[in-house]
Amino acid sequence: MGDNQVLGKKFCSLREDSNLEGQLPIFNLDLRGYNLSKIHQNTGTLILTFLYSMYKFNIEIISFLEKVNILNEISHLERFTEQEYKYGFVTDIEADEIPKGLSEDVIRLLSSKKAEPEWMLEYRLKAYRAWLKMEEPKWANVHYPPIDYQEIIYYSAPKQQKKLNSMDEVDPELLKTFNKLGIPLEEQKVFAGVAVDAVFDSVSVATTFKAKLAELGIIFTPFSEAIREHPDLVKKYLSSVVPVTDNYFAALNSAVFSDGSFIYIPKGVRCPMELSTYFRINAKNTGQFERTLIIADEGAYVSYLEGCTAPMRDENQLHAAVVELVALDNARIKYSTVQNWYAGNKEGVGGIYNFVTKRGICKGINSKISWTQVETGSAITWKYPSCILQGENSVGEFYSVAVTNNYQQADTGTKMIHLGKNTRSTIVSKGISAGKSNNSYRGLVRIGKKAEGARNFSQCDSLLLGDRCGAHTFPYLEVLNPSAIVEHEATTSKIGEDQIFYLNQRGLSTEDAVNMIVNGYCKEVFKELPMEFAVEAQKLLSVSLEGSVG
Amino acid sequence: MIEIKNLHANIDGREILKGINLTVNKGEVHAIMGPNGSGKSTLAQVIAGREDYEVTQGEILFNGKNLLELSTEARACEGIFLAFQYPVEIPGVSNTTLLKNALNSIRKYRGEEELDAMEFLTLVKKKMSLVELSEDLLRRSVNEGFSGGEKKRNEIFQMAVLQPKLAILDETDSGLDIDALRIVANGVTKLKSPENATIVVTHYQRLLNYIVPDFVHVLYNGKIIKSGDKSLALELEDKGYDWVIEEAAELV
Ligand SMILES: Nc1ncnc2c1ncn2[C@@H]1O[C@H](COP(=O)(O)OP(=O)(O)O)[C@@H](O)[C@H]1O
Ligand SMILES: [Mg+2]
């Protein structure tokens, strides 16, 4: 940008002695409020381009912010938060619950309620025992009161035992809920090209278009059903990407996961429609522990959409999902998320804790996994969709828009682990912070010893609305192969007064002007989303930032 | 159309405009000339409603309405258009997106129906030829990576689409080569009608060979120190500004 002004340099601490396996990071860069212009490291061809720039009006903007009330005026904060969470209603359905608390007995009960085979129970118990020995991570740049795991209900299912054969048999109350959420569950809407596996609290209640997919050999089914009907696939791939003991929340999920989606695309099949699951957290005090496993066999392609809403509640609710993706030779998986969970009220009370482990492995040659996420909700988000690039020439992508407002905290980013030759990864992260929120990007790019010719390009941009919010960028780099090329760009900007004035002068209100600028800022990510999702994402963005500019 | 009376404006407590009086009627073209730093852009931006400037005295009437009470966007919707001296880049927002939203926002304000995509496109195509802009600039992000000349032509193109009542061109000629200058000037001339008015801000007279002004004003140190017809512009070209400034000083 012509208008950008490069600020002063900050530090870049190199720890070259830490080449020991598993010791991270070599670089630890804290870009907070500073500029790192160009750093060339001579060991290998590691090129780092750190551009941290701010709009020309950086200095003037502060007085402008006060004048035009970008965000930090109490009245505006109030106006924003008066914007009630649209999806805050509770469905009155009798639930079948296990009493709160966690123990081996609870896990046994849960497993038997789900009529699981013995191996599954064993898997859960092993995970539980491992979890007991683990400690909750404290390193993410987020703060929250301790979670009491004995206060959580680990199983809650709508009381509906009968197996469903058609949509007509689904509880009308449930259908009403889904309709309120705008989920295209009815078949005619499904013709638009979205097959929906709806997860209501813990049990999948309806799966559409299963038959059509089955013709192609595609398996798209609730996880609990996959355990019963496709045990070999589940056994082969479950925890093959996210080991049970990978992290605290993954271990917990492995012990108690309730349901989720299982997808298998057979060799050479291109899934003809976007597959989609809408998660909804309904029952009080239930933690949500979904499990998603997507396998794209050789030459297969699938695009998966994940959307989430939760009703408004005072108690913080835990959401600790695990998503595993496996792409074999020449397979491609595109995973898109639009997340607008309840973020808590203006005092920061309530809201969802979203601690999610998402990871994909490009196991085969020329395979590709692409994560696209638009995160506008949750009180706390802690999430790093990652790619393990094992197959030669495999490609990992991460496109992210994370919006935080009020007291929201987001610590999100990605990990790109390059193991195979000529593997490539692209990271585009767009953070938008408003109110008193905190938005951190944390990304790891690791180039293994054998990753000859690996390339990474990272671009991490932060946009600040107001001056009480924070944006932090923590890129970690570990490069063990000297032929690798790693590039990183980071910018932090504020919406320019001159941009708003320009658009005002063309007849647009300040609100519209900000929306336009923010949408333009996110364009690179939005263009990665499937059409309907992109439209949805733009709407969500303007709702999330409503009233954030005077 | 616009009546500016004894206008004083400050920025950061420093007075930049020190009592401007100017009346522009329908169908007229006024040129405002003056050395750098005399307050020409400030006047343009105060009319458009930039909030950095504090109006301390005076008033501006636009078709009888008190302009100073209106927001920037309301002024735009009333029909004021400012072609910026330094057009702003808006990454990721295409020229068409901006124009379609702007046009419809203005139409809505005036109680007119919004244009649909087809009608809009037809209009845009027609106006584009006025300034000889290539279609690919339409899809590109607003002013991003545009050359200086393209930015200025883009301003005139936007003006053509938005069809303002009063257009203020702030140094639209600076940075243009002679061909671009001719294109821009032709565009402006074609858009002229007995119903609208134009204020051309410049410190060269060469633009005025193409856009012939009815009145020429010299702005110096926040005041209009001399007004005349187009011959004044030629005289300024010839003799510079010093004699006008001296003349004005003697009057004080
Ligand atoms: N944003 C600003 N902050 C401080 N001073 C300004 C600002 N804008 C203009 N000025 C000052 O106001 C005076 C008039 O500027 P300007 O209106 O741009 O003049 P012109 O367009 O005639 O060259 C100059 O002395 C300039 O330095
Ligand atoms: Mg100027």
Side-chain angles (χ1 to χ4, degrees):
Chain A
M1 305 219 114
D3 305 15
N4 282 0
Q5 173 196 353
V6 176
L7 298 178
K9 275 192 182 179
K10 209 202 170 184
F11 59 89
C12 165
S13 57
L14 307 182
R15 283 200 285 132
E16 292 180 335
D17 55 341
S18 61
N19 270 356
L20 303 167
E21 228 5 78
Q23 189 170 341
L24 301 178
I26 294 182
F27 286 78
N28 183 355
L29 302 168
D30 183 353
L31 291 177
R32 230 177 302 190
Y34 292 89
N35 163 61
L36 298 158
S37 48
K38 280 184 183 164
I39 300 155
H40 291 268
Q41 197 207 6
N42 287 331
T43 54
T45 4
L46 176 62
I47 304 166
L48 291 175
T49 317
F50 285 95
L51 292 170
Y52 178 89
S53 41
M54 295 187 91
Y55 283 169
K56 193 168 130 219
F57 284 87
N58 176 41
I59 312 296
E60 287 146 41
I61 194 106
I62 290 163
S63 63
F64 164 70
L65 293 177
E66 274 154 21
K67 269 189 227 152
V68 190
N69 285 328
I70 287 215
L71 224 263
N72 41 14
E73 297 272 280
I74 304 297
S75 62
H76 287 281
L77 269 180
E78 275 169 6
R79 215 172 77 202
F80 169 72
T81 44
E82 274 162 19
Q83 163 88 34
E84 265 179 72
Y85 183 69
K86 206 171 107 202
Y87 302 112
F89 54 87
V90 177
T91 308
D92 205 1
I93 292 184
E94 226 184 309
D96 175 15
E97 287 182 354
I98 294 179
K100 67 185 183 187
L102 187 53
S103 66
E104 291 207 4
D105 285 343
V106 165
I107 289 171
R108 286 201 171 84
L109 188 57
L110 181 151
S111 188
S112 78
K113 276 205 185 274
K114 298 172 75 64
E116 286 178 351
E118 185 62 27
W119 61 268
M120 198 61 232
L121 176 62
E122 279 310 311
Y123 169 95
R124 289 180 183 281
L125 289 172
K126 239 170 82 185
Y128 174 67
R129 286 167 200 147
W131 177 75
L132 284 177
K133 296 199 194 90
M134 295 170 85
E135 265 189 56
E136 212 172 316
K138 292 277 180 284
W139 53 274
N141 201 24
V142 295
H143 309 278
Y144 57 94
I147 299 169
D148 184 347
Y149 293 92
Q150 297 307 333
E151 281 297 315
I152 293 173
I153 296 164
Y154 288 87
Y155 182 83
S156 165
K159 251 200 188 130
Q160 187 168 55
Q161 310 298 352
K162 214 174 66 179
K163 206 164 166 23
L164 304 173
N165 294 313
S166 86
M167 296 290 297
D168 304 338
E169 295 174 36
V170 176
D171 186 330
E173 274 292 310
L174 273 184
L175 286 182
K176 241 195 267 168
T177 305
F178 286 125
N179 284 336
K180 265 196 237 177
L181 290 170
I183 296 173
L185 206 65
E186 304 96 320
E187 302 244 336
Q188 75 268 25
K189 288 189 192 161
V190 174
F191 276 118
V194 181
V196 181
D197 176 16
V199 174
F200 193 88
D201 281 2
S202 307
V203 175
S204 286
V205 288
T207 303
T208 48
F209 263 55
K210 242 169 105 174
K212 188 173 171 197
L213 295 172
E215 268 172 42
L216 293 163
I218 294 171
I219 303 168
F220 177 37
T221 175
F223 212 102
S224 46
E225 218 171 293
I227 291 170
R228 289 192 298 269
E229 287 168 20
H230 309 282
D232 293 344
L233 279 173
V234 174
K235 268 194 235 174
K236 183 167 176 190
Y237 290 109
L238 179 65
S239 290
S240 71
V241 190
V242 179
V244 166
T245 53
D246 185 82
N247 67 67
Y248 187 79
F249 297 109
L252 179 62
N253 176 287
S254 300
V256 302
F257 75 80
S258 33
D259 218 324
S261 292
F262 178 87
I263 296 170
Y264 172 79
I265 316 289
K267 273 185 197 169
V269 171
R270 195 190 154 87
C271 186
M273 61 184 81
E274 316 271 356
L275 302 182
S276 165
T277 306
Y278 282 78
F279 291 116
R280 180 175 163 79
I281 300 178
N282 191 63
K284 227 173 164 177
N285 288 337
T286 57
Q288 279 268 288
F289 302 96
E290 296 92 1
R291 190 87 190 191
T292 301
L293 177 54
I294 301 176
I295 303 142
D297 212 324
E298 292 171 21
Y301 168 81
V302 62
S303 166
Y304 181 81
L305 318 178
E306 178 199 301
C308 317
T309 60
M312 206 160 6
R313 296 258 181 221
D314 253 0
E315 294 92 332
N316 288 299
Q317 287 177 298
L318 177 63
H319 185 95
V322 173
V323 177
E324 295 177 281
L325 312 181
V326 181
L328 302 183
D329 287 358
N330 301 303
R332 280 163 59 207
I333 300 176
K334 188 172 168 60
Y335 192 106
S336 314
T337 309
V338 171
Q339 186 264 109
N340 67 329
W341 276 328
Y342 180 50
N345 70 7
K346 65 180 172 187
E347 270 88 39
V349 177
I352 302 289
Y353 290 175
N354 189 19
F355 300 143
V356 175
T357 308
K358 287 182 164 173
R359 192 176 304 155
I361 183 165
C362 286
K363 235 177 147 64
I365 55 162
N366 304 323
S367 54
K368 178 173 171 182
I369 288 178
S370 170
W371 299 98
T372 307
Q373 59 173 29
V374 176
E375 303 276 325
T376 66
S378 293
I380 299 174
T381 302
W382 180 88
K383 148 177 185 188
Y384 317 91
S386 307
C387 297
I388 300 168
L389 305 171
Q390 189 181 68
E392 272 182 34
N393 301 320
S394 60
V395 176
E397 292 175 338
F398 175 74
Y399 298 96
S400 168
V401 167
V403 185
T404 54
N405 202 346
N406 297 333
Y407 284 87
Q408 274 177 281
Q409 303 173 61
D411 194 299
T412 179
T414 186
K415 291 181 208 162
M416 293 291 174
I417 313 291
H418 293 253
L419 300 177
K421 280 186 192 156
N422 298 317
T423 46
R424 279 161 294 147
S425 62
T426 303
I427 298 171
V428 177
S429 162
K430 304 274 182 179
I432 300 163
S433 334
K436 295 179 183 169
S437 67
N438 256 305
N439 205 326
S440 303
Y441 167 83
R442 191 185 300 277
L444 167 69
V445 175
R446 181 177 187 188
I447 313 274
K449 276 202 183 71
K450 290 176 186 155
E452 205 68 35
R455 278 203 78 139
N456 161 266
F457 173 74
S458 306
Q459 184 189 330
C460 304
D461 299 328
S462 310
L463 186 66
L464 304 176
L465 301 179
D467 50 11
R468 295 192 194 178
C469 50
H472 318 281
T473 306
F474 307 100
Y476 301 93
L477 299 169
E478 191 190 41
V479 180
L480 299 178
N481 187 305
S483 71
I485 299 178
V486 177
E487 291 174 78
H488 184 110
E489 287 184 4
T491 66
T492 296
S493 46
K494 289 185 175 177
I495 288 186
E497 173 199 10
D498 54 338
Q499 290 178 317
I500 292 179
F501 178 63
Y502 188 77
L503 295 177
N504 282 159
Q505 211 299 306
R506 295 302 182 249
L508 298 169
S509 68
T510 300
E511 189 103 23
D512 288 346
V514 168
N515 270 332
M516 194 175 273
I517 294 165
V518 168
N519 271 306
Y521 167 80
C522 298
K523 193 177 187 176
E524 277 167 280
V525 175
F526 286 169
K527 76 175 172 27
E528 296 297 324
L529 288 171
M531 248 318 249
E532 302 101 296
F533 246 36
V535 173
E536 183 77 1
Q538 287 190 14
K539 273 193 241 148
L540 265 181
L541 212 66
S542 59
V543 169
S544 304
L545 295 173
E546 206 153 281
S548 64
V549 175
Chain B
M1 172 159 306
I2 191 165
E3 232 179 308
I4 302 171
K5 293 182 201 156
N6 191 30
L7 183 69
H8 291 250
N10 287 355
I11 185 149
D12 299 334
R14 193 181 128 207
E15 189 166 62
I16 309 287
L17 300 183
K18 302 172 179 171
I20 302 271
N21 291 292
L22 179 66
T23 300
V24 177
N25 298 308
K26 279 205 272 192
E28 293 176 353
V29 176
H30 288 238
I32 296 182
M33 303 183 70
N36 266 332
S38 51
K40 302 183 297 293
S41 292
T42 303
L43 175 61
Q45 305 225 3
V46 169
I47 295 172
R50 187 147 193 157
E51 296 197 15
D52 304 59
Y53 300 98
E54 186 197 353
V55 173
T56 51
Q57 270 187 70
E59 62 173 350
I60 307 178
L61 295 177
F62 186 66
N63 291 326
K65 283 192 184 148
N66 181 357
L67 206 60
L68 296 177
E69 279 177 357
L70 298 181
S71 66
T72 303
E73 63 266 29
R75 295 181 200 197
C77 294
E78 289 287 341
I80 289 178
F81 180 91
L82 172 61
F84 283 62
Q85 181 171 4
Y86 304 107
V88 178
E89 296 180 8
I90 312 197
V93 177
S94 75
N95 240 335
T96 22
T97 304
L98 163 59
L99 270 179
K100 184 158 187 273
N101 281 286
L103 183 63
N104 282 334
S105 169
I106 292 171
R107 291 181 70 94
K108 215 164 120 188
Y109 179 90
R110 296 182 185 162
E112 295 164 6
E113 225 165 279
E114 296 187 17
L115 293 188
D116 65 27
M118 276 316 290
E119 296 165 321
F120 174 73
L121 218 69
T122 316
L123 175 72
V124 157
K125 289 243 162 91
K126 208 171 86 198
K127 301 295 182 182
M128 231 162 39
S129 58
L130 261 182
V131 285
E132 299 175 28
L133 264 184
S134 77
E135 244 177 80
D136 117 283
L137 285 191
L138 273 181
R139 282 185 292 272
R140 295 220 330 243
S141 295
V142 179
N143 293 321
E144 202 184 23
F146 286 26
S147 71
E150 283 170 339
K151 282 184 184 172
K152 296 298 177 74
R153 272 191 279 164
N154 194 32
E155 294 290 288
I156 302 305
F157 165 60
Q158 292 186 10
M159 172 180 127
V161 173
L162 301 179
Q163 296 169 327
K165 296 194 181 102
L166 174 68
I168 306 166
L169 313 184
D170 191 0
E171 308 259 4
T172 301
D173 53 335
S174 62
L176 291 185
D177 61 31
I178 199 76
D179 288 333
L181 186 71
R182 189 182 40 76
I183 293 168
V184 163
N186 274 344
V188 173
T189 309
K190 279 189 198 145
L191 292 170
K192 238 180 84 176
S193 86
E195 290 308 306
N196 60 28
T198 313
I199 297 177
V200 181
V201 173
T202 180
H203 58 264
Y204 302 110
Q205 98 86 26
R206 63 173 194 165
L207 179 65
L208 305 179
N209 290 333
Y210 299 92
I211 306 173
V212 182
D214 302 300
F215 299 93
V216 174
H217 310 276
V218 178
L219 184 64
Y220 177 71
N221 196 16
K223 277 186 180 156
I224 289 178
I225 56 170
K226 193 172 179 69
S227 298
D229 60 15
K230 70 176 183 187
S231 64
L232 175 59
L234 291 169
E235 216 175 335
L236 289 169
E237 175 90 341
D238 233 25
K239 301 196 268 179
Y241 289 106
D242 289 351
W243 65 276
V244 190
I245 295 165
E246 278 161 28
E247 206 179 274
E250 279 163 24
L251 287 177
V252 175

